[in-house]
């Protein structure tokens, strides 16, 4: 299980990954890891910023000792292929797929990728765990994504970013387009398109919540395409351009290099995109503990 924990949440105003939201100070990440362990995952790899390391080891890694092996890898702005340098003035990380690339030296088996500040729900881990466990040995170009219904992934406090997905009759992903502003407006789910127009989509439209399953060949494809991404002057001149996972997956399924199955789940997503989301998340977690879905103390 590969966990994206590198970013300081700009909209949230702090390091969301260390925010205690459960009855005993549990983080959202604690619940994801608890669910991952119970779904059969055998190793955790965290990608973080180097300057978070001491805090992260003390407050996070120490909790999991004796439960599951853990490794840390680090994302930095200057972790670029040979021949490329970070543009002057850039402070924004290079994006989720750049973070995934940091795991290449320590991951040699099929793996899942999640965000650490998203509450995915137990069923989503069970679904992905089963899919990964059934992959034939040596599989390549066989990927999966847990597809959440867009109507179940919104924030009441503002817009959210989601990968809007298209599928075929075999539930294989045909397209994924990152939409950076999605919200419910006038009773409909809408996203802002490239022409600054709000476009309505059905509530059940599958979206990527960055819960992916990959075979290890994904790293080589990503390394090659990241060079293409960086070679585009628009991406180097735009100090906020990002190398998203959906961008990479969309490229690979578009050219026939890989397939990506969209896995249905009964789980509902929630998270702390904005500070105003926090009380509702605390309440939802408390209700799950009260219902017996999770123990009062996880680790």
């Amino acid at each position: 299980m590969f966990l994206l924990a590198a970013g300081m949440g700009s909209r949230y105003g702090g390091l969301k990954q260390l925010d205690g939201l459960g009855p005993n100070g549990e983080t959202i990440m604690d619940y994801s890891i608890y669910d991952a362990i119970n779904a059969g995952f055998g190793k955790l790899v965290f990608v973080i910023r180097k300057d978070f390391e001491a805090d992260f080891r003390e407050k996070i890694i120490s909790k999991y000792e004796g439960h599951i092996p853990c490794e840390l890898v680090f994302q930095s702005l200057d972790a670029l292929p040979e021949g490329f340098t970070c543009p002057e003035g850039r402070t924004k990380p290079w994006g989720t797929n750049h973070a995934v690339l940091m795991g290449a030296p320590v991951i040699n088996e099929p793996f899942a990728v999640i965000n650490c500040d998203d509450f995915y729900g137990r069923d989503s881990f069970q679904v992905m765990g089963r899919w990964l466990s059934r992959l034939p040995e040596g599989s390549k170009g066989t990927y999966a994504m847990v597809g959440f219904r867009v109507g179940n992934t919104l924030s009441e406090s503002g817009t959210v970013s989601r990968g809007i997905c298209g599928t075929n009759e075999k539930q294989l992903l045909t397209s994924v387009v990152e939409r950076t502003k999605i919200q419910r407006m006038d009773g409909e789910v809408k996203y802002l398109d490239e022409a600054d127009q709000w476009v309505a989509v059905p509530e059940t439209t599958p979206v990527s919540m960055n819960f992916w399953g990959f075979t290890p060949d994904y790293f080589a494809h990503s390394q090659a395409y990241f060079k293409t991404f960086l070679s585009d002057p628009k991406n180097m001149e735009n100090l906020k351009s990002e190398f998203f996972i959906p961008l990479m997956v969309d490229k690979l399924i578009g050219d026939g290099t890989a397939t990506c199955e969209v896995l249905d789940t009964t789980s509902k997503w929630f998270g702390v995109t904005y500070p105003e989301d926090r009380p509702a998340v605390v309440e939802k977690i408390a209700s799950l503990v009260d219902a017996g879905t999770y123990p009062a103390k996880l680790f």
Side-chain angles (χ1 to χ4, degrees), residues 145-290:
M145 184 202 82
V146 177
F148 288 77
R149 295 182 176 187
V150 65
N152 290 334
T153 71
L154 304 180
S155 168
E156 297 177 1
S157 305
T159 61
V160 296
S161 297
R162 302 286 180 259
I164 298 286
C165 302
T167 59
N168 63 17
E169 67 280 358
K170 296 180 179 179
Q171 292 307 301
L172 295 178
L173 196 64
T174 55
S175 65
V176 54
V177 179
E178 187 77 9
R179 299 297 181 183
T180 57
K181 291 188 177 181
I182 305 176
Q183 63 182 338
R184 186 172 279 106
M185 303 171 62
D186 304 320
E188 292 184 301
V189 178
K190 297 182 179 181
Y191 67 82
L192 192 66
D193 69 7
E194 296 84 355
D196 286 335
Q197 300 295 313
W198 288 99
V199 179
V201 295
E203 293 264 344
T204 56
T205 301
V207 296
S208 162
M209 298 305 301
N210 263 354
F211 195 159
W212 301 91
F214 295 119
T215 44
D217 57 289
Y218 185 75
F219 291 119
H221 295 309
S222 295
Q223 288 163 349
Y225 196 51
F226 190 39
K227 294 178 182 179
T228 301
F229 176 90
L230 294 172
S231 297
D232 186 336
K234 296 194 299 294
N235 292 327
M236 294 299 274
E237 293 166 6
N238 179 0
L239 299 182
K240 293 186 177 181
S241 62
E242 294 186 66
F243 186 42
F244 290 119
I245 295 173
L247 176 70
M248 184 72 248
V249 173
D250 195 47
K251 188 265 183 190
L252 293 176
I253 63 175
D255 64 20
T257 301
T259 61
C260 183
E261 184 176 350
V262 177
L263 307 176
D264 184 39
T265 179
T266 58
S267 291
K268 293 185 178 181
W269 172 95
F270 58 85
V272 282
T273 306
Y274 299 91
E276 295 84 359
D277 295 329
R278 191 181 190 281
V281 170
V282 170
E283 183 178 340
K284 288 174 182 176
I285 291 175
S287 67
L288 289 170
V289 172
D290 290 343

Side-chain angles (χ1 to χ4, degrees), residues 1 27-39 41 114-130 146-148 152-153 209 211 263-271 284-285 288 293-294:
M1 175 68 70
T27 65
I28 282 183
M29 186 162 51
D30 289 333
Y31 290 96
S32 291
I33 290 169
Y34 180 84
D35 285 338
I37 291 172
N38 282 284
F41 288 88
I114 64 168
N115 293 334
C116 285
D117 50 8
D118 290 318
F119 192 104
Y120 290 104
R122 178 170 300 172
D123 182 70
S124 63
F125 287 92
Q126 297 287 341
V127 166
M128 181 59 78
R130 284 195 298 270
V146 177
F148 288 77
N152 290 334
T153 71
M209 298 305 301
F211 195 159
L263 307 176
D264 184 39
T265 179
T266 58
S267 291
K268 293 185 178 181
W269 172 95
F270 58 85
K284 288 174 182 176
I285 291 175
L288 289 170
T293 304
Y294 297 99

